[in-house]
Amino acid sequence: MDLRICHLYPDLMCIYGDRGNVITLAQRARWRGIGVETRDLEAGETLDPDWADLYFFGGGQDQGQDVVSTDLQSANGNALRQAFAGGAAALSVCGGYQLLGHEYVPAEGPAIPGLGAMDVTTRAGKVRFVGNLLAAAPQGTLIGFENHSGYTYLGPKARPLATVLVGHGNNGEDKTEGALQGRLVGTYCHGSVLPKNPWLADMLLAWALERRHGTVPLEPLDDSDELAAQRAAAEVARTRP
Ligand code: GLN
């Protein structure tokens, strides 16, 4: 059994340790004896919609999002939609999350079109949200670090990933953090998010493996270190002024 991961636009969309999510997904698969191949896709390269089981789309600056948006308005956007329709899973963080939605309207300049794969819409807010982000998901605690000026609002086809306990999350108004739609996950948690939130990593792995291998029961791992790190980070977040 093998797992194929595509890291989308790492040169432009991979800030605040987001690459650690790809490392975590690969390592948690390898610990279970699953072979892993990871490929990067940069703007201007050709995305093969049939190859990857799992996509990672990290955060980036507005200008990088502009370049990536243009690439997503080309054949690569259709290929990525085709990949999702074919059962591929995705984790998107912050800027990547915004670009899987309908559009991101920055503080200055025209709207940046998104892929429209997630029913979310983002517009720049007056205050940049920066700091530890602690939220409660049905599957467990979600802890990370947020740094965004985009405020994201969910449409009816998306549901929140978690409820904000400390920090701002999607928009600082409705207490939602992130979004779930099919096998697509969006979150504002940088950090990287997956090492300290093993439930999220394994949820994505299970979805990704199902694409070509059917249901794969994941052997439990000893997550004592990961959960100790999650508790410690959550404790720090609770002291957030
Ligand atoms: N440029 C976007 C914003 O500020 C995304 C930032 C990010 O990916 N951290 O909201």
Side-chain angles (χ1 to χ4, degrees):
M1 185 181 305
D2 68 320
L3 172 69
R4 299 169 185 166
I5 301 173
C6 177
H7 188 172
L8 293 171
Y9 310 108
D11 281 356
L12 289 167
M13 303 294 291
C14 192
I15 53 181
Y16 310 125
D18 288 342
R19 186 178 298 277
N21 294 308
V22 177
I23 296 169
T24 302
L25 289 164
Q27 189 55 56
R28 292 185 71 84
R30 290 189 179 111
W31 276 333
R32 293 166 162 124
I34 299 168
V36 181
E37 182 179 351
T38 300
R39 291 182 185 172
D40 291 351
L41 179 101
E42 297 299 357
E45 296 174 345
T46 302
L47 188 151
D48 172 0
D50 299 322
W51 187 78
D53 306 307
L54 181 53
Y55 292 85
F56 175 68
F57 197 176
Q61 306 305 333
D62 290 16
Q63 56 273 32
Q65 287 179 277
D66 241 339
V67 173
V68 168
S69 169
T70 303
D71 198 63
L72 288 175
Q73 303 312 309
S74 71
N76 279 346
N78 294 330
L80 193 52
R81 269 187 287 268
Q82 187 183 330
F84 292 157
L91 172 64
S92 59
V93 179
C94 202
Y97 168 32
Q98 296 168 350
L99 286 179
L100 285 191
H102 300 299
E103 64 175 6
Y104 167 50
V105 184
E108 289 166 15
I112 301 174
L115 189 68
M118 294 190 84
D119 187 15
V120 302
T121 302
T122 303
R123 54 176 182 273
K126 291 189 174 20
V127 175
R128 173 168 284 270
F129 296 149
V130 183
N132 293 310
L133 173 55
L134 176 63
Q139 303 87 341
T141 296
L142 181 68
I143 181 75
F145 181 86
E146 62 182 331
N147 181 339
H148 58 103
S149 62
Y151 296 14
T152 297
Y153 300 86
L154 274 56
K157 292 180 187 159
R159 64 182 199 275
L161 177 65
T163 302
V164 175
L165 301 175
V166 175
H168 302 282
N170 280 325
N171 49 53
E173 297 159 14
D174 61 16
K175 288 291 182 191
T176 64
E177 154 48 20
L180 264 177
Q181 189 168 339
R183 291 179 172 171
L184 308 183
V185 175
T187 178
Y188 273 112
C189 286
H190 288 287
S192 38
V193 65
L194 293 183
K196 295 191 288 288
N197 301 285
W199 65 266
L200 182 55
D202 285 353
M203 185 171 81
L204 287 158
L205 285 178
W207 288 344
L209 290 166
E210 195 170 13
R211 172 178 175 263
R212 288 187 293 129
H213 306 297
T215 303
V216 177
L218 290 178
E219 179 195 331
L221 296 174
D222 173 3
D223 286 332
S224 46
D225 290 343
E226 289 80 355
L227 295 175
Q230 183 187 77
R231 284 192 297 274
E235 211 36 57
V236 169
R238 287 192 184 92
T239 60
R240 179 173 177 176

